[in-house]
Amino acid sequence: MVTVEDVRRLAIALPRTEEHLVRDRVKFRIGQIVYLALSRDETVLGFAFPKEERAALVASEPEKFSLPRTSELRYNWVEARLAALSLAELTELVTEAWRMCVPAKVARAHLGPGPEPPPQPAPRTARLRLSAEVFAAAGGVDRSWLELCRLTAPALDLTVPDHRTALHRWLNSWGCRLPCPPEGGPYPLGEGLAAWTDRHPLPGTPLPDLTDPEIDALAAAYEELARLPAGSGPRPRPLGPTAAAKALYALRPHTVMPWDAAIAKELYGARDGAAFARHLRTGRAWARAVLAESGLSADALVADLGRPAVTLPKVLDEYL
């Protein structure tokens, strides 16, 4: 069992954290962003947590975690009973909530890069074939992707307003649940995407041929993309790591191997730009290995695997 003093000790030790008393509730924040908040009776801790992952967290331990009240469901937020948490669990929750609210360089400076997990061996072609068969057997699994390709032919271009809207809809079809703007209302995500694409010319080099500088450029683009506001209001949720990786795949389908939270946590233990760069280097090594084993080109290999509608980076993502 942990106490309020444990929460305070852990939070105050994190750079840029300030403690405030707001309407009889203790809150910890970075600037104007609250990342921890205690209930008035100090038995429940609310904390920043990726919205797309919280249902799984709550379902895994309902005696410990719960969804926030209805008015806060639009935020990246979960609640936990302090009495049910161990000190190790509290430390991880507080640290990860703080990490969501500070620049990655601040988190790395304080926490260090952390130990890198050992590199994963490249899959054999037979293993890729098994995972490809699972996806190919799912009816309509590529429907939304093919529709995005049709709407944005010959290529997705975020300087075109209709392409930004099409990307937004496709990300939601892939489970990202980004808020849609009201008819005729402001569209912060669309404006952010337009500005972001001007700042980040993306390489179009196929995944097996990516250079280290190109991977670093993609990681920097990913890191800024993940922070773009995906909605309006005083505390808009960011686009987030999963949607950012999928958006980069949509923009460069032969170049970028996407990921989701489970893949990032299992392989790298983080979802910042440095971890995404490691992910692309993993994908590069895997792509080279499976192409060498098969003796085929990338397009011929995915066709041979029964997934001609997608690309080699996506086949590797499906394997993961």
Side-chain angles (χ1 to χ4, degrees), residues 109-174:
H110 181 68
L111 301 174
E116 291 191 14
Q120 298 290 318
R124 306 288 293 182
T125 305
R127 294 294 303 276
L128 285 184
R129 192 176 303 280
L130 288 174
S131 60
E133 287 174 356
V134 172
F135 276 81
V141 68
D142 298 318
R143 185 181 297 118
S144 64
W145 171 247
L146 294 173
E147 177 66 6
L148 176 66
C149 293
R150 184 187 70 81
L151 291 173
T152 59
L156 179 62
D157 180 355
L158 294 184
T159 65
V160 180
D162 286 348
H163 286 206
R164 299 195 291 268
T165 302
L167 175 65
H168 188 151
R169 290 173 177 165
W170 176 74
L171 288 171
N172 279 347
S173 75
W174 208 0

Side-chain angles (χ1 to χ4, degrees), residues 47 57-58 61-67 78-80 85 93:
F47 57 96
L57 177 70
V58 172
E61 296 183 276
E63 74 288 352
K64 189 177 296 183
F65 301 107
S66 61
L67 296 174
V78 177
E79 295 182 345
L85 295 175
L93 294 177

